[in-house]
Amino acid sequence: MKHVTTFAAAGADAHGTVGLVPTMGFLHEGHLSLLAAARTECDTVVMSLFVNPLQFDRDDDLRRYPRDLERDLRLAAATGADVVFAPEVETMYPEVPLTRVAVATLTDHFEGPHRPGHFDGVATVVAKLFAGLQPDRAYFGRKDAQQLAVVRRMAADLSFPIEVVGAPIVREHDGLALSSRNVFLDGEQRAAALALNRGLAAAAGAVEQGEREASRLVELVDAELMAEPLLEPEYVALASQDTVEPIEVLDRPAFLALAAWAGPTRLIDNVHLDVSDGGFAADRGIRLAHPSVLYEGA
Ligand code: AMP
């Protein structure tokens, strides 16, 4: 596996179908599942590791974002990456970019208003990665469901000939969605954070029993979150998958999404719900059989 820091070097040995897995590093099994999917479907697999300052709405979050390049390189190599592209900020942004990519309407709700500038930063860096690396496919997790919708639309609007692939949420053995930020949770906060998945599971169960009212689904999630004094919920809402607008009734492919603070750490999670054609599907993701490697040496 090659570790490179420039776009030119990243593309040097690419051959056949190129798969890109964009990340901010501090890898966990969620990232590795994207890498594994790319490995089975592509000839050349490139993982980018870049903590993108442009997408952070808070300086303290950027400063304390966990980083461990050596460990990431080991994990990426072991999972079959051909190239890890880990540029310096000065390489990605030789000058403050005067050109930003902004995706309208899909960013009006949920993460958008709570994190001003976040999606412009994401869309801009992903557009730069797409332009600089020219992958055929790019892999993103449904953990960031709104981000996935934003990236898909950006790629279509800007005519990038790239297939954007969405992959299931990977969860800890006890249901907590994997996140690089989980490393900040102390024991009590981590235990409280299990309420996120519990609430989403309860709502998915209610949908399976026939519930379609968004307000009722939100109540079920809220009940779990409110029962945890260590959690401070930010939003819980049912969103249309395509438009990422709030919907009142589950009558199209949707996701039930939430954000909550556990102390100084902000967590997001969601469940994909689809009852179209009278059927029921809830994509609650994949559970690890064992505790994550995230905590090893972290
Ligand atoms: P990040 O490093 O947090 O920017 O995430 C990089 C990519 O990994 C994004 O496409 C995320 O959606 C994805 N990802 C993060 N956590 C998970 C998870 N628990 N399961 C699946 N994908 C994830």
Side-chain angles (χ1 to χ4, degrees):
M1 189 192 76
K2 274 196 332 184
H3 165 208
V4 301
T5 57
T6 64
F7 278 111
D13 300 332
H15 61 277
T17 312
V18 177
L20 171 66
V21 180
T23 79
M24 298 205 297
F26 211 73
L27 301 180
H28 52 63
E29 284 90 338
H31 301 115
L32 300 184
S33 74
L34 302 178
L35 206 47
R39 182 69 283 163
T40 60
E41 295 170 8
C42 305
D43 300 309
T44 304
V45 175
V46 182
M47 174 173 255
S48 61
L49 300 181
F50 181 61
V51 181
N52 175 32
L54 223 55
Q55 74 186 67
F56 282 79
D57 54 312
R58 294 182 3 253
D59 279 347
D60 60 320
D61 190 28
L62 173 60
R63 261 199 313 276
R64 77 170 193 150
Y65 198 83
R67 295 163 168 89
D68 190 340
L69 180 62
E70 290 310 312
R71 181 171 158 280
D72 287 348
L73 292 173
R74 271 201 315 277
L75 288 170
T79 316
D82 297 307
V83 179
V84 167
F85 171 52
E88 296 294 333
V89 173
E90 295 71 27
T91 306
M92 189 62 95
Y93 302 115
E95 294 184 83
V96 174
L98 301 181
T99 307
R100 306 277 172 115
V101 180
V103 178
T105 67
L106 300 186
T107 56
D108 283 351
H109 303 280
F110 317 116
E111 293 297 286
H114 283 103
R115 304 191 62 190
H118 169 67
F119 283 123
D120 292 4
V122 170
T124 302
V125 80
V126 173
K128 284 171 69 76
L129 291 168
F130 282 7
L133 301 169
Q134 303 191 4
D136 299 286
R137 297 202 178 103
Y139 294 80
F140 293 84
R142 290 196 206 112
K143 160 92 185 329
D144 301 276
Q146 189 171 13
Q147 169 175 283
L148 175 59
V150 166
V151 168
R152 265 194 214 293
R153 185 58 186 252
M154 179 278 289
D157 285 349
L158 298 184
S159 306
F160 281 111
I162 296 169
E163 184 188 345
V164 175
V165 182
I169 298 175
V170 179
R171 298 180 179 282
E172 289 276 7
H173 60 295
D174 54 9
L176 181 67
L178 291 177
S179 163
S180 303
R181 291 186 175 88
N182 288 355
V183 74
F184 296 132
L185 302 173
D186 66 23
E188 288 187 337
Q189 290 165 342
R190 194 190 177 290
L194 294 177
L196 276 58
N197 177 58
R198 257 201 323 273
L200 295 172
V207 172
E208 192 170 11
Q209 299 301 312
E211 186 59 69
R212 297 291 180 267
E213 291 295 323
S215 61
R216 184 67 198 126
L217 301 178
V218 167
E219 265 170 36
L220 287 168
V221 178
D222 270 341
E224 289 291 345
L225 300 184
M226 305 295 199
E228 290 293 348
L230 293 183
L231 292 183
E232 202 177 306
E234 209 170 60
Y235 66 81
V236 181
L238 186 66
S240 151
Q241 182 185 249
D242 295 336
T243 63
V244 197
E245 283 168 320
I247 54 175
E248 310 258 302
V249 178
L250 179 59
D251 56 2
R252 68 205 89 170
F255 59 92
L256 185 61
L258 62 81
W261 292 86
T265 305
R266 188 170 181 278
L267 301 171
I268 61 170
D269 201 349
N270 72 84
V271 58
H272 174 82
L273 297 166
D274 190 354
V275 294
S276 44
D277 303 330
F280 164 74
D283 181 357
R284 308 225 15 258
I286 296 165
R287 270 202 201 211
L288 298 178
H290 53 83
S292 163
V293 298
L294 179 66
Y295 301 104
E296 241 175 56

